Amino acid sequence: MMTEPAEREHPVKGEVAVHRGVPYPARPAADRWPLVELLPGPGLPAPEGVPARYAEDGTVAGHPVAPERLDAWYAVHRTFRWHGEPFACTERKGGTIVGDYLGEDEGFAEEYLEERAISHWGAFPLEEVTDPEEHHEDLLGPRLALIRRLDEAHHFRPEAYAVLHGTTHAAAAELDPAGEVRLIAPDGTRPAVTPNQLDAWYLTHWTFTWRGGPFDAVGTDQGRIKGVYTGGSWGFADNYQLRPEQGPDGRHDRYTAAVDLDSVTDLEQHRTDLLAAHR
């Protein structure tokens, strides 16, 4: 028997972050990757030691926190059965639960359920529902693993290095006006040396392929790898809505995309010798 949903709503899916043993509704912090935002809720204490982010009206909008400070962070969804058939819970209001049908019995669907595009759904009295289950998908582990991977790859930025007396230093990629190479020492100083003093001087950069198109990596954006399209197809740039940005010369545009790291292929690091041209 189907029924109309009542007025009062109950959350049926979302994200939860656990901070110092207290679970909070949560979400990725907008434009503050990799932070996770703990959301206020009835009866929830303000998370200890985590500054608030305020909305324009002065109310607390959330508490952004670094993922390594969390006990857990996971996505939640719920399933149930009605007349023995499986459903994914999409809504609960009062004594009514609504769900999308997960089974394959076409006769059952035609007899008891409503059709929506290519799926079926139903709304049922809560007392007729059986086998309610809550499912968790870990979000914290993958986020911490991605942070480590990006840090290890220096966020896929082009970088220059110089080797002096067997020690590798970060360095400028071009000679300064005096014809010397500026090193970046661990103590923050920037000593200058001549190319002839160096054992090696080189530039590293990354390339990758996304949806069949070639890209030069230039860093990351909100946890996604960012690249400049190096192919020559305007159709590709238009079809995938690549973003035009002003190039380093200030006169010509280049097309860029920021995409999930798992969606790229042929990710490869390259090394260009800078010393050979200056000896």
Side-chain angles (χ1 to χ4, degrees):
M1 173 182 176
M2 294 186 64
T3 183
E4 287 300 319
E7 288 301 319
R8 194 162 73 90
E9 296 188 8
H10 302 262
V12 297
K13 60 181 179 179
E15 296 180 13
V16 174
V18 182
H19 179 264
R20 296 191 176 182
V22 180
Y24 294 86
R27 64 188 175 195
D31 298 323
R32 297 189 65 182
W33 194 93
L35 302 188
V36 179
E37 189 162 51
L38 311 180
L39 304 178
L44 285 175
E48 184 180 348
V50 183
R53 180 181 68 83
Y54 293 93
E56 292 183 0
D57 62 3
T59 60
V60 175
H63 295 80
V65 61
E68 57 266 23
R69 296 181 60 188
L70 297 175
D71 305 326
W73 176 35
Y74 52 88
V76 177
H77 74 276
R78 294 171 173 84
T79 58
F80 64 88
R81 288 183 178 271
W82 183 74
H83 287 195
E85 292 293 324
F87 289 82
C89 184
T90 59
E91 187 177 10
R92 181 184 164 193
K93 293 186 176 181
T96 301
I97 191 166
V98 182
D100 286 337
Y101 182 49
L102 300 177
E104 300 178 354
D105 189 332
E106 295 182 5
F108 173 87
E110 291 177 3
E111 182 175 358
Y112 294 109
L113 305 179
E114 299 290 334
E115 189 171 2
R116 179 194 293 128
I118 60 173
S119 64
H120 289 83
W121 67 278
F124 317 105
L126 198 57
E127 61 268 18
E128 296 182 5
V129 166
T130 61
D131 302 319
E133 287 190 63
E134 182 175 282
H135 306 269
H136 293 180
E137 176 191 353
D138 178 35
L139 301 175
L140 183 58
R143 174 60 60 92
L144 294 175
L146 178 57
I147 291 170
R148 287 193 297 269
R149 185 178 179 188
L150 295 184
D151 285 346
E152 289 169 358
H154 294 194
H155 286 254
F156 302 102
R157 293 183 294 264
E159 294 180 316
Y161 296 93
V163 182
L164 178 65
H165 305 315
T167 301
T168 301
H169 302 267
E174 296 179 351
L175 296 177
D176 67 12
E180 296 179 316
V181 180
R182 287 283 176 178
L183 310 183
I184 304 174
D187 60 3
T189 60
R190 297 177 64 87
V193 297
T194 65
N196 287 336
Q197 293 176 275
L198 294 174
D199 305 321
W201 180 32
Y202 57 90
L203 178 71
T204 64
H205 76 282
W206 296 79
T207 59
F208 64 88
T209 300
W210 179 69
R211 297 191 176 180
F215 288 81
D216 280 341
V218 293
T220 59
D221 181 4
Q222 298 298 306
R224 297 170 295 175
I225 187 169
K226 181 177 179 180
V228 175
Y229 177 56
T230 57
S233 170
W234 161 250
F236 180 92
D238 182 58
N239 185 50
Y240 292 113
Q241 299 182 335
L242 303 188
R243 182 171 57 188
E245 292 183 4
Q246 191 175 75
D249 62 5
R251 294 181 292 112
H252 298 94
D253 280 347
R254 58 186 188 174
Y255 290 91
T256 67
V259 299
D260 290 338
L261 191 55
D262 288 341
S263 70
V264 310
T265 59
D266 306 318
L267 182 61
E268 185 178 358
Q269 188 180 46
H270 306 268
R271 175 168 164 165
T272 302
D273 182 21
L274 299 175
L275 193 57
H278 298 283
R279 275 186 164 172

